[in-house]
Amino acid sequence: MHQREESMTIDTENLLGSIMASFDRIGFVRAEDIPNIDLYMDQVTTFMDKKLRNTTRDPEHDKILTKTMINNYAKNDLLPPPVKKKYSKEHVLLLIFIYYYKNILSITDIQTLLQPITQQYFGTSEEFNLEAIYNEVFSLQESQVDRLKKDVMRKYQDAENSFADVPEEKKDFLQKFSFICYLSFDVYVKKLLIEKVIDSLRTEKGSGDHKTKDRKRE
């Protein structure tokens, strides 16, 4: 019995260590790491693969970005068309946003978020451009990692304290199930909040479109 408890402790420590290590593999592609020259599609997919490969669930097989994906993004107005089959640094910045969004948001929601950005800031010579927005947003994301680690650690410890009275042979699975439930509920609530904010943006845009039409009629 003592040997089994010791084995479970080691497994728990390994799992927790693996979870914490995964935070360190989160890929933040810095704007200065993106080439300042225009790239062909193959070069874009190679760059994205190199920078974000470690963030995938199965690095050996998962695709970061394919030619088909890029073409679909362009068809769905998520990405401005390339110029002479070449993609600019700003194209790559938008693709990074899409890479993170696509796992939790619909195409329509991503359109609502990115269209105002591309319309106002893509290809502008102004100092406050798409790269400035990217740098601001991702500097905020990096500062959140330590806070997220602490939150996940707390949820993990809560899960470890659950199902205290069940037989040992069933406890390990049930505690992991509990941990997944904690994380899933957190994701669910945040997704609801994101969708609500996007809906408000869509409503504001619709209202703005009506005002523009009214001014044109006047």
Side-chain angles (χ1 to χ4, degrees), residues 123-135:
T124 179
S125 58
E126 300 293 328
E127 185 176 343
F128 188 72
N129 54 18
L130 182 58
E131 185 172 343
I133 293 172
Y134 180 90
N135 285 332

Side-chain angles (χ1 to χ4, degrees), residues 112-113 195-207:
T112 301
L113 277 176
E195 290 171 346
K196 189 161 287 293
V197 175
I198 290 174
D199 288 342
S200 73
L201 292 174
R202 195 174 289 128
T203 301
E204 290 170 9
K205 183 178 183 300
S207 176

Side-chain angles (χ1 to χ4, degrees), residues 149-164:
K149 280 185 177 181
K150 291 176 183 176
D151 180 62
V152 170
M153 179 79 76
R154 180 178 56 79
K155 286 182 171 63
Y156 191 89
Q157 290 169 346
D158 288 345
E160 283 290 293
N161 293 328
S162 64
F163 298 105

Side-chain angles (χ1 to χ4, degrees), residues 36-127:
N36 283 314
I37 58 172
D38 293 346
L39 304 174
Y40 286 108
M41 188 180 286
D42 284 342
Q43 294 172 309
V44 172
T45 57
T46 299
F47 174 82
M48 293 284 284
D49 187 79
K50 179 182 177 182
K51 291 296 181 180
L52 296 170
R53 169 61 47 193
N54 287 338
T55 66
T56 61
R57 184 176 186 177
D58 184 359
E60 290 188 14
H61 300 101
D62 289 345
K63 297 290 185 183
I64 299 294
L65 191 66
T66 65
K67 294 179 182 180
T68 302
M69 290 178 189
I70 294 176
N71 288 330
N72 285 337
Y73 298 153
K75 287 177 184 176
N76 285 286
D77 296 324
L78 302 183
L79 194 70
V83 177
K84 296 181 180 179
K85 297 184 179 181
K86 284 189 173 183
Y87 296 84
S88 68
K89 182 175 186 176
E90 290 181 313
H91 280 106
V92 177
L93 294 173
L94 286 173
L95 285 169
I96 294 170
F97 278 122
I98 294 168
Y99 173 75
Y100 288 110
Y101 288 149
K102 68 186 178 71
N103 292 307
I104 56 172
L105 297 177
S106 67
I107 291 293
T108 303
D109 283 344
I110 300 175
Q111 285 174 337
T112 301
L113 277 176
L114 289 186
Q115 280 181 351
I117 298 294
T118 55
Q119 289 170 2
Q120 296 180 59
Y121 305 107
F122 186 92
T124 179
S125 58
E126 300 293 328
E127 185 176 343

